[in-house]
Each structure stands twice: as C-alpha cells, then as structure tokens.
Amino acid sequence: MPPPVPFPPPAARPRLALLDAGLGLLAAAAALRRLRPDADLVLTSDPDGMPWGPRTPADLAARAMAVAEAAAAYHPDALVVACNTATLHALPALRTRFEPGVPVVGTVPAVRPAALHGGPVAVWATPATTGSSGQRALIDAFADGVRVAEVACPGLSDAVERADEEAVGAAVAAAVERTPADVRAVVLGCTHYELIAGHVRAGFLRAGRPPVELHGTADAVAAQTLRRIGVPARPYAPAVGTLRVLHSGRPAALPPAALAYPEGRALLSGTDAAAGEGGGGRGR
C-alpha cells in the first residue's frame, strides 16, 4: 500500500495592498483579514487629494496610480482597487502597469446579485457616479430587465470619512427619501457606504419603510483577491498579519475616524506590527 499523501505545506502568508482616496478601503481590508488573518495588509490612501469623485477621470487615474506605486514598494501579491470610482477610471491603467506580475482587483457595485431576486432595486452612489455612463452600462449589462433607480447621496461619503454620525444620519435620511417606495434591495455603490450599513437599515425603519436587503462588495472582492493569487481562505490562521498604512505615499497610522468603525478596529486586532510602520516584513 502506498504511503498516504501528505497535506501540502501551508501557503506563505500573502501580502495584499488596498487603495482608495480614504476610508472606503476598510470594508474590503476587514473582509480580507477575516479570510486570511495572517495576511500582511498595506492600506494606501490619498488624504492630500481626496475626494476623488469631483476630479477629472485623468486626474483621478493619476492620483490612484501614485498611491498604487507607493504600495508597490512593499511588493504586494495583489492590489485591490477598493473604490468604485477609481475602478471605473483607473483600473485599465493600473492593470497595464502592474499585471501580470501583480494582479489588480477592481470593485464594481453589486448590481447583478441585487437584481437576481427581481426588482425594483436602488443603487446608492456618489453624485459623481450617479447617472454616469459607467454605472449606466453596469446596470444595462447586469440588471437583466429589472427596474433600477439611481439614487445620488450627496455628502454621505464625506460624512463617513469624518465619522460624523449626525451628518451620516442626515445624508442617509435624505437618500431614503429619494429612494422609490417599492424598493426592497439597495446596492451600496460606494465602498464608504458599507461602513454604515446599520445606519442605512435604521434609516429605512425610521422612515416607516419596510426593511431592505443591502448589497455590498467587500466579501466578494476579498474572495476574488485570494482566487486571483491562488491562495485559499484560512479564517483560523494565526492572526499575525502586519498592517501598514500610507497616506499619499507617506507612512502613517490609521486615522482616528477609522477606529469609529468595527472594520477599522478589527484591522488593529492581533497584528504583529504597528500601523504606519515604514518597513520590514517580507520583501522580494
């Protein structure tokens, strides 16, 4: 009888970089931390240039490329564009620059899963994205005849960035008011909105509306990132992953506003290096 086939050795812990103008990357980063607690994470944002939404597509793509280059110095296995608007305008350039050596994973609103159960559906997004050709093309491609309402949410991502609960509540209430009464599924079309999903649900209830099903992207993006680099999920791996934070290319720490959210606090739990540490770790 041949000897039993041994289990393969565990994969080396991955190093994953995420980029956004601000705190929108927290949801996907926390989802990756849940799937791979041992992953080294590099969070690269652009406080000097935010918000990205009002910028021209070329300017936004240049800002995204700059923060991606800063993360590339840490030799990530994958780069996650954790921003819907940056995915729309910068993903092709980022893939041209970094692939095939470093897979680049984009983020698009979860229109398809929301529409699978029928409609009507609402897509909440920033004013810059609402009504854009990119969002309209996504709806046309994946809503499959389901009625979709595009709802602009002015001020909501800014309020989330500041962790300003009063402003978040006001912006959510205004968006609920603009959402058609028969909508039962809401696509969170900005990654910032996933951080305040509880506020969105509460906003509908406060308005006397039936509960809605929310559709975000963080879990799907995290799973796709691991698939792209051929690494399995290991949710029970030792929580030894490092966390590095870059602000417009500079080593930094998670801003206080990030710690207002469970996703931000979870990223600091059990890390083996302080946020903002400038070097060390695995290089190539």
Side-chain angles (χ1 to χ4, degrees):
M1 178 180 296
V5 177
F7 285 109
R13 72 191 201 192
R15 177 170 291 175
L16 308 168
L18 300 96
L19 73 83
D20 183 30
L23 299 185
L25 50 68
L26 291 179
L32 283 166
R33 180 66 87 206
R34 289 192 296 271
L35 292 180
R36 287 297 301 233
D38 59 339
D40 295 329
L41 300 180
V42 181
L43 310 186
T44 180
S45 60
D46 187 28
D48 292 358
M50 69 178 305
W52 282 352
R55 292 181 175 275
T56 66
D59 191 17
L60 189 155
R63 303 294 307 192
M65 184 66 72
V67 296
E69 293 284 6
Y74 293 86
H75 307 288
D77 297 304
L79 175 67
V80 178
V81 186
C83 172
N84 302 94
T85 304
T87 296
L88 177 63
H89 295 300
L91 187 64
L94 290 167
R95 284 182 165 163
T96 298
R97 168 68 181 87
F98 293 107
E99 291 189 346
V102 179
V104 181
V105 179
T107 303
V108 295
V111 172
R112 175 183 278 174
L116 283 177
H117 304 293
V121 171
V123 179
W124 284 20
T126 63
T129 300
T130 301
S132 67
S133 59
Q135 181 163 288
R136 193 68 250 169
L138 185 72
I139 292 169
D140 291 344
F142 297 121
D144 195 24
V146 170
R147 181 158 56 90
V148 177
E150 296 183 79
V151 178
C153 302
L156 183 52
S157 61
D158 292 339
V160 174
E161 187 71 26
R162 302 191 307 270
D164 183 335
E165 290 213 15
E166 183 176 352
V168 165
V172 166
V176 169
E177 184 68 23
R178 288 191 293 274
T179 301
D182 54 353
V183 161
R184 298 294 178 267
V186 173
V187 175
L188 301 176
C190 170
T191 53
H192 278 73
Y193 301 170
E194 296 191 52
L195 301 177
I196 46 98
H199 289 76
V200 176
R201 292 189 182 93
F204 278 89
L205 296 178
R206 280 195 298 270
R209 302 274 293 270
V212 294
E213 183 176 344
L214 302 183
H215 293 268
T217 58
D219 289 338
V221 166
Q224 173 66 2
T225 300
L226 296 186
R227 282 194 294 269
R228 286 291 308 274
I229 62 175
V231 170
R234 296 186 188 276
Y236 301 108
V240 296
T242 62
L243 180 69
R244 289 175 173 81
V245 178
L246 302 174
H247 284 172
S248 301
R250 304 179 301 273
L254 278 178
L259 303 182
Y261 302 107
E263 293 87 347
R265 296 192 294 272
L267 291 175
L268 291 183
S269 176
T271 58
D272 71 356
E277 183 177 320
R282 186 198 61 187
R284 289 188 190 154

